[in-house]
Each structure stands twice: as C-alpha cells, then as structure tokens.
Amino acid sequence: MREMARTGAQGASGGHRSPRGGRVLGCLLAVVVAVLAAAPSAQAAAPGIPEGAALWYACTQPQYYGPLNLECPLPYDPRYLRTFLSEFQRFTPENEFKMMYLEPEVNIFDFGLADQIAAFARANGKTIRGHTLVWGDQLPYWVQHPLLPWSKYLLLEMMAGYVETVVGHFATHYPGVVTEWDVVNEPLGPDGKLRRSTWERVIGGAYIRDALEYAHAADPTAKLAINEGNTDFLGPKTEALLSLAAGLKRDGVPLDVIGFEAHVTPRTAPTVGQLVAVWRRFAAVGLNVEVTELDVDDDPGGDTRAAKDAVFRTYAEACREAGNCTGFTVWGVADPYSWLGQTGGALLYGVNFAASPVVGLINGILDGPVQPLAAGPSATPTKRASPARRHARPRSRHHRHTTRRHTSGRARSRRR
Ligand code: 9MR
C-alpha cells in the first residue's frame, strides 16, 4: 500500500521564453497550450483508488492526550506510525470520532482529541473518512438514558445540532481534511428491516435522510456515505439497502457512497463476481461504493495466510472491476492492533509489521486511473421541504452547545 505518486502532467510553468522576434511563434504556442489545457486529458486525473486504514490514533504517539479508554492497547512502537505513513493515503479514526467521545455530555462537545487527529492528518498529508455521525452504538450515556424521554422533535433537534456542529467543526477548522463522512452507520438489521436504535425508534426511518441533509448543509464539499455490513451478496439485506439508497437518490437526498464494511473470513467472503454484481446495482442508481472496514478473520479451525490473502485480492479486484468503487480501507494498520485480537492475522501487516505478500499485488490492482460516477442520475436535488419543515421542527429550540477544545483526559506517557 505504498503512497502512490500522484503527479499529473506538469503544467507549463512559464519557464519558456519566446526568443527575441519570435512573437508569432510565442502566440501560436500559447494557443496550442490553451487548447491542450481545455481538452479533456486522459492523464488529467489518475488518482487510482485511495487506500486507507482504520487508525488507532494514540498508537501513533509517544505522548497521548485523550480519554483513557482510547489509549493505545500496546506500548508505543514507532513502526505503527511508519507503516501507516508510508503505506496508506487516508485513514478512518477507528473510534475517536464516535458520538460518545465528541459529545460526552449533553450539549458539551469535546474536540480535544479530534483536533489532534485532524492536525495530525493535515501535517502528514492524509485525509480522513469521518466515522461515524449517526449510529445506534457507541452513543454517549445520556442519549439512551431512561430519564430522558425524547420526543421526535427534540431528538431530531439534537441530531441536527450534533451533525451540524461536528461536520461544521472540521469543515471550518480543517478544510479538505475530512473529505468524507459515514453519516449513518449500520441502519439495517440482518433481515433488512431498519435496525432498532434510539434514532429509528423515536424519529422513524426519516432520520437517515435528515442526517444526510444536515451533513450536506454543514459541508457541501464532503462525500456522504451510508455504511453497512453483511451486504456483499445479493439477498434480503442487500436488496433492502439498495431500495433505501435508490429511494434517497430518487428524492435528491445528498448521498454519494455506500460503504461495504467487509468483516469476513475466507469462508464467508464473496467472490469477485458476487461483489461486482452487487456494486453494479448501486452504480445503476447513481452511487459509488467503497470497501470501508476490510479484515479477514479466521474460520473455526484457522485459515492459511494464502487463503486470507486471496480474500484481500478478491476485494481489490472487485473494486477495480466494478467501475464505481472509490475507496479501499482495511480495518487496522497491523495485526497486533486489530479489534479482532492479535493472533487473527486479519490484516495486511503482521505482528512484526511485515507486509503480507498480497500487498504489492493490491497496490498494482488499485493503482492507475479510475472514473467513478461523478454524480448519480438523480443527483440533482428535487425541490422539496427541508427536514426541519417536513417535521415542523421547532427552530426556536436550536441546539445550544459549548465546545471544549481541550480534552479532560490527561497526558499519557508511553514506553518506548
Ligand atoms: O473497531 C472498533 C472497536 O475498537 C470498537 O470496540 C467497536 C465498538 O463497537 O467498534 C469497532 O468498529 C466497528 C465500526 O465502528 C462499525 N462497524 C463494525 C466495526 C467492528 O465492530
């Protein structure tokens, strides 16, 4: 997953000077350069498919300042940072951007750690997939507190305030760093019905489109995603996701990407053909897709490295072949730091940060130009009521909040 050289054709830098008396030639050259610049160039955009990893930020730092439960689970090892920096172009904060950390108390935002992470990305030329704004898990205690009897309107108000504050924070203070958001995470249950969560129970299914609208209003430049798992095969859950996504696109809701988590094993993984078949259905409704959380756990009894590598290759090949795949993210930098535990061998870099043999292959597959869908067939928003109007949301109760720029967590010294 080397850093791909992304240098397009170098533009005319003004270094040419017409020889004395060569004005006509100079003019002609200027015209040719202008025509070439205006013509669509095959070399103009050759960004390949960006490769990312879920990052445990504290593990990149010898000194960590933040909540204790986001400490790196292992002693500081500079190889973690080195591997990330040299091999990946972007990252997903594995936990740090989740609501329980960003709004730990009602109306009190804590961007202490998130600011460090965004500054880290900016300083190192990386971009961030923001994960995740509206999810049923990893919520602050107060969202589900039985003594807080949410009404639909109050919860919607709170959700609007949360999404606008968080997305707006990064758009304002770190422009161009958080380029994409998992706005809604795992909205569906295994049967394809909307997953029960505080959001769904109190607001109803419309919370999905509302969250997307609020995110778009806060940062019109960010790509917006719904992220879901276990939808790599055609089946009831995948059909339900497709129909949800198609409906949103039809209504002009700002949705760009469907994220496919891909927590799989060699036995549960799909084939290239199955993935491409699913992803093309999403292309047909105007959506790009991304592999967002790929890791390959062991089946009972264990699997060989070769079997796992074949799965990584499958996802990379499908991503290249589908035509609308705009990202490839593995869920962790190296095995010792995987949420699945250290022994699984579920990632591309092993216990000693040695690259699996498939890494070079994946680089080759994902490199080179791609032409994802720029906008879906229904991407032109239809004129329709804003979420606030649809729900007759009482604007006067606008969410007020205080932001805490510095986290209450204390500095943690790390052993080398
Ligand atoms: O990798 C994350 C792990 O460290 C957390 O303990 C866990 C809490 O639910 O969330 C993990 O990440 C999840 C992601 O946010 C959403 N998709 C499933 C991921 C794996 O559970």
Side-chain angles (χ1 to χ4, degrees):
M1 306 247 141
R2 69 187 178 277
E3 187 73 21
M4 287 182 245
R6 304 270 188 250
T7 49
Q10 299 292 315
S13 60
H16 293 283
R17 235 202 255 163
S18 300
R20 199 178 276 268
R23 277 178 196 277
V24 176
L25 190 61
C27 286
L28 268 174
L29 272 175
V31 169
V32 170
V33 167
V35 168
L36 283 178
S41 155
Q43 290 180 355
I49 296 166
E51 298 161 52
L55 194 73
W56 197 282
Y57 171 72
C59 302
T60 66
Q61 304 294 307
Q63 292 273 321
Y64 161 71
Y65 303 86
L68 298 187
N69 50 353
L70 289 179
E71 264 193 352
C72 185
L74 295 170
Y76 177 67
D77 184 335
R79 291 177 298 177
Y80 184 92
L81 177 62
R82 273 207 303 270
T83 305
F84 165 68
L85 290 181
S86 63
E87 306 301 327
F88 298 97
Q89 290 126 22
R90 62 179 188 168
F91 68 94
T92 305
E94 185 164 337
N95 288 297
E96 296 89 338
F97 281 19
K98 291 172 180 172
M99 191 179 186
M100 65 183 287
Y101 298 109
L102 295 187
E103 193 178 353
E105 305 291 338
V106 189
N107 286 352
I108 298 184
F109 285 78
D110 186 346
F111 286 110
L113 181 59
D115 281 342
Q116 293 174 52
I117 293 175
F120 165 84
R122 188 167 57 191
N124 290 292
K126 308 292 180 190
T127 56
I128 295 179
R129 285 195 87 248
H131 175 81
T132 171
L133 295 168
V134 181
W135 188 23
D137 290 354
Q138 288 180 285
L139 291 166
Y141 75 93
W142 53 269
V143 172
Q144 289 161 310
H145 200 285
L147 292 179
L148 264 183
W150 292 109
S151 70
K152 178 174 175 176
Y153 302 110
L154 282 179
L155 189 65
L156 192 64
E157 186 75 7
M158 185 275 274
M159 185 182 85
Y162 179 76
V163 171
E164 284 165 359
T165 302
V166 172
V167 175
H169 177 85
F170 293 103
T172 306
H173 298 289
Y174 306 93
V177 169
V178 184
T179 53
E180 183 167 347
W181 283 99
D182 279 335
V183 178
V184 177
N185 199 45
E186 299 170 5
L188 302 177
D191 55 1
K193 297 210 173 83
L194 286 178
R195 182 180 170 212
R196 293 298 275 174
S197 67
T198 305
W199 312 109
E200 188 274 335
R201 184 174 53 79
V202 180
I203 301 173
Y207 85 89
I208 297 170
R209 65 179 55 208
D210 291 341
L212 288 159
E213 300 273 12
Y214 294 134
H216 183 66
D219 184 358
T221 68
K223 282 205 282 172
L224 304 183
I226 292 177
N227 193 45
E228 187 53 272
N230 301 316
T231 43
D232 296 349
F233 299 90
L234 290 172
K237 189 174 182 187
T238 307
E239 294 294 346
L241 182 62
L242 187 61
S243 113
L244 170 69
L248 293 169
K249 291 299 283 180
R250 225 177 10 250
D251 291 349
V253 175
L255 171 67
D256 306 289
V257 168
I258 300 294
F260 289 76
E261 292 187 359
H263 295 289
V264 292
T265 70
R267 245 173 263 172
T268 63
T271 63
V272 174
Q274 284 167 324
L275 276 172
V276 170
V278 169
W279 292 348
R280 294 219 168 123
R281 301 271 309 274
F282 285 87
V285 299
L287 282 162
N288 288 318
V289 300
E290 293 189 9
V291 179
T292 52
E293 302 186 13
L294 177 59
D295 52 24
V296 188
D297 202 359
D298 276 312
D299 289 297
D303 290 292
T304 61
R305 182 72 240 171
K308 293 181 174 196
D309 283 352
V311 177
F312 283 107
R313 184 176 176 171
T314 293
Y315 277 90
E317 281 178 352
C319 193
R320 162 59 63 184
E321 197 177 314
N324 62 330
C325 179
T326 52
F328 182 91
T329 296
V330 289
W331 204 239
V333 171
D335 284 335
Y337 303 82
S338 165
W339 73 293
L340 293 169
Q342 303 182 10
T343 53
L347 298 174
L348 291 171
Y349 293 84
V351 276
N352 291 317
F353 292 88
S356 141
V358 82
V359 166
L361 208 57
I362 292 176
N363 286 331
I365 294 168
L366 299 180
D367 219 343
V370 276
Q371 292 209 306
L373 304 171
S378 53
T380 316
T382 49
K383 201 162 173 51
R384 60 200 191 84
S386 70
R389 293 194 71 121
R390 276 204 316 279
H391 294 277
R393 188 154 63 90
R395 294 305 299 185
S396 57
R397 298 184 60 93
H398 193 75
H399 198 68
R400 294 190 201 295
H401 63 267
T402 352
T403 48
R404 230 196 262 157
R405 282 309 198 83
H406 298 289
T407 184
S408 51
R410 53 198 163 87
R412 312 290 295 168
S413 290
R414 308 216 55 79
R415 281 182 284 133
R416 267 183 189 268

